[in-house]
Amino acid sequence: MTAPTTDIDVLHYSAFTTHPDGGNPAGVVLDAAALADDDAAMTAVAARVGYSETAFITERDEAARRYRLRYFSPLAEVAFCGHATIATAVALADRDGPGELIFDTASGEIRVQTTADGDGPSRATLTSVPTRSRPADPGTEVEPTLAALRWSADELDPALPPHVAFAGNDHLVLAAATRERLADLDYDYDALEAVMRRRGWTTVHLVWREAGDGAAGDSADGLADGLVFHARDPFPVGGVVEDPATGAAAAAFGGYLRALGLVDAPTRIHIRQGEDMGRPSDLLLDITPDEPRARVSGQAVRIPRSG
C-alpha cells in the first residue's frame, strides 16, 4: 500500500543556472525517511512534481554530512541523476552552510563540494563514480538510434565516434557534425524509447563541438582547456521529451573523452545545454588523464512557488 504523499515537503530547485527560468528543475525532498521503503510513493511524488527527476533523502547522518539519496522520474527510479544531485547539495548548503557532502546512491558514493558563490546562488561540484566508455555497436545500437532520431550517419562528426559511456548510468554519445543538426531535434519518441529500453540507456547524449581557437584536433593533440560543447539529451524512458541539463551524461562524456585519448592534461570543458528548449544551462566538466572519475560543477537556484 502506498503511503500518503500529500504532506511531503518538496523543494523546487533549478540546477546548472543562476535563474529559475533556466537550467533543469528538480524536486528535492530533504526528509523522505517515511517513504524509504515505498518506491511507489516516491514515484507518485515525482509524477506529481512533474520534473524529469525528484531526489529523496531517505537516511541521514547529519554530523558526518552523509545522506542516502534516491532519484525518481515520473515513471521509475533512476540509479543516478546529476542535476538532482546538484540541486540537493545546494538545498542542503542553503540550509546548513557550504562544505563537503557525501551521498550514497544506487550507483555508489558521490562526494559533492558546495561553496558560497558571492552574492549569487551556491555552487556544487560532484565527483562521479569511475567512468567507462566503449564503442557503440553500429548495427544494434547506432543504426536504430539514428533511425529514431531521423538522423543520417553522414550528419555525425567522424572525429567523435559513437560510444556508450557510463558514470552511474549508461548514455549513448552521438556527436553531430553541425550546430544546425543538433538544433533540429524532432525524433520518434516511441521508437527511441524502445531502443533505449532494450539497451538500458538513461539518455542519448547528443553533442556538437563548438569551433574556435580551442577546438579539439586529433587524439594526439588532445583537448584545449575551456573548449565548449553544446548538448541535448532526449529522455523518453523517464517520460520526458528532453532534459535541459544532464549532469550524469556530462560526467559520462568526460569518460568518453578520456577513452578517445583526447585528455592529455587536466582539462575543463564548458557544456551548454537547454538553449534550444529555452532553458539555457551551464555545466563545467573537469577531467584528468589519470583519474577515471569526472567532476561536474554548476550553480542551482530555488524556484519560487506560485499560488
Side-chain angles (χ1 to χ4, degrees):
M1 181 177 179
T2 301
T5 61
T6 54
D7 59 346
I8 297 297
D9 185 22
V10 182
L11 304 178
H12 295 231
Y13 273 78
S14 196
F16 299 113
T17 183
T18 60
H19 195 277
D21 292 335
N24 196 355
V28 177
V29 181
L30 295 180
D31 184 4
L35 306 181
D37 298 318
D38 196 336
D39 292 9
M42 286 186 277
T43 304
V45 171
R48 188 173 74 244
V49 172
Y51 297 149
S52 58
E53 273 98 5
T54 295
F56 299 82
I57 292 177
T58 58
E59 299 175 24
R60 66 186 59 239
D61 180 343
E62 297 281 8
R65 301 192 76 168
R66 188 172 196 127
Y67 305 87
R68 177 69 178 173
L69 191 60
R70 299 180 67 185
Y71 314 90
F72 284 79
S73 80
L75 296 180
E77 184 170 13
V78 177
F80 176 65
C81 173
H83 83 274
T85 299
I86 296 293
T88 303
V90 169
L92 288 168
D94 287 349
R95 189 191 70 178
D96 303 328
E100 186 179 57
L101 304 165
I102 304 171
F103 293 133
D104 294 306
T105 77
S107 293
E109 179 184 283
I110 302 294
R111 290 181 177 266
V112 185
Q113 184 67 43
T114 60
T115 57
D117 208 54
D119 294 330
S122 297
R123 180 176 296 276
T125 299
L126 68 85
T127 299
S128 76
V129 298
T131 62
R132 59 178 183 264
S133 188
R134 62 163 178 84
D137 182 83
T140 63
E141 296 180 322
V142 179
E143 288 181 13
T145 303
L146 291 177
L149 290 170
R150 303 188 177 103
W151 288 20
S152 62
D154 61 7
E155 292 177 306
L156 299 178
D157 184 345
L160 297 168
H163 264 226
V164 176
F166 173 89
N169 305 311
D170 282 327
H171 307 263
L172 177 66
V173 178
L174 293 177
T178 66
R179 182 69 178 90
E180 291 74 21
R181 173 67 282 178
L182 185 68
D184 185 16
L185 184 61
D186 179 22
Y187 70 90
D188 184 325
Y189 186 97
D190 292 336
L192 187 59
E193 180 185 14
V195 175
M196 293 173 69
R197 288 199 183 281
R198 282 199 305 271
R199 307 309 304 187
W201 301 333
T202 297
T203 71
V204 176
H205 192 54
L206 307 173
V207 300
W208 174 72
R209 181 182 54 193
E210 184 174 299
D213 294 339
D218 59 28
S219 61
D221 293 334
L223 295 174
D225 199 43
L227 180 66
V228 176
F229 280 87
H230 295 252
R232 304 188 73 172
D233 280 74
F235 186 37
V237 294
V240 177
V241 172
E242 182 180 355
D243 233 7
T246 317
F253 187 59
Y256 164 84
L257 295 172
R258 285 184 69 254
L260 292 183
L262 293 172
V263 181
D264 55 13
T267 302
R268 168 162 285 189
I269 303 295
H270 179 192
I271 298 175
R272 288 285 292 169
Q273 194 175 339
E275 293 173 310
D276 298 302
M277 302 174 61
R279 295 196 67 91
S281 308
D282 292 283
L283 302 83
L284 296 178
L285 168 64
D286 288 286
I287 41 181
T288 58
D290 57 352
E291 170 53 65
R293 292 172 173 82
R295 296 186 304 281
V296 179
S297 303
Q299 292 170 278
V301 61
R302 191 160 180 181
I303 301 172
R305 299 197 188 188
S306 59

